[in-house]
Amino acid sequence: MTIRVLIADDQGMVRTGFTVFLSTQPDIEVVGEAADGSEAVARTAELRPDVVLMDVRMPVMDGLEATRKITEGAGPVPKVLILTTFDLDDYVYEALRAGASGFLLKDASAQQLAEAVRVVASGEALLAPSVTRRLIAEFARVGPRRPRGRLDDITERETEVLALIARGRSNQEIAGDLVLSEQTVKTHVGRILAKLNLRDRAQAIVYAYETGLVRPGE
């Protein structure tokens, strides 16, 4: 199945470079480009891509607001992969809260770029270790926020799985920790996302910290 991608960046050379990189991949198709956040929102509504590569600093409307508008839209919601110059960008926390599924450095290699698109398209979170540290530090600073849902909506086992997701564990690692099959873990993850009305693992990580299920340093 081909992954349809929209590239949103105010630098034409960046858009061209990413398009050239991705066009060499047999399972990825670049369906459009946008030069600012407002155009990104409009083009997303028009083209319905699976993944949007979103720069943060853009004119007219920045990438955070564009991400928020895109992920709050009706119908199938694309995954948003934030493009950043530095992996300790100040936008990490707000971008995830706005609905982003991960982060990618602009100097990533062609292979890293293609793999990042595949990862978020599959519903996984793409958080580099340094980004995860920054995110956890922010949660430690602000503390738990008001829950967006009820943890008693999920089972005890699902709560265990959610806590491990928040600690950045993969399905394979969770399966090993809980002595379950990887398929069973995938089933639990799907149920957690559905019950708590979360889009993907990135949103599950935010949810777990905001509700206080997991606290930094634990």
Side-chain angles (χ1 to χ4, degrees), residues 3 17 52 65 83 94 139 153 168 182 216:
I3 303 170
V52 178
E65 183 61 23
L83 302 172
E94 286 305 320
F139 282 126
D153 286 340
E182 195 168 343

Side-chain angles (χ1 to χ4, degrees), residues 188-206:
H188 282 313
V189 172
R191 287 175 179 166
I192 290 166
L193 298 180
K195 288 181 178 181
L196 299 179
N197 195 29
L198 303 171
R199 282 183 294 275
D200 53 30
R201 293 172 85 100
Q203 298 303 295
I205 292 170
V206 172

Side-chain angles (χ1 to χ4, degrees), residues 72 77 93 100:
E72 290 176 350
V77 176
Y93 181 68

Side-chain angles (χ1 to χ4, degrees), residues 44 100 126:
T44 297
L126 187 71

Side-chain angles (χ1 to χ4, degrees), residues 58-138:
M58 291 188 292
V60 184
M61 178 189 296
D62 66 29
L64 295 182
E65 183 61 23
T67 296
R68 193 171 292 111
K69 288 182 177 297
I70 287 171
T71 58
E72 290 176 350
V77 176
K79 308 296 183 183
V80 178
L81 185 58
I82 297 292
L83 302 172
T84 180
T85 305
F86 303 104
D87 59 355
L88 295 183
D89 209 320
D90 291 336
Y91 300 105
V92 170
Y93 181 68
E94 286 305 320
L96 282 178
R97 295 200 81 240
S101 294
F103 299 83
L104 181 71
L105 293 178
K106 283 190 176 181
D107 62 358
S109 68
Q111 193 55 47
Q112 288 172 328
L113 172 63
E115 188 56 30
V117 168
R118 295 184 185 104
V119 167
V120 297
S122 71
E124 297 284 335
L126 187 71
L127 299 175
S130 54
V131 170
T132 302
R133 287 195 296 271
R134 177 59 176 249
L135 181 63
I136 290 174
E138 182 66 11

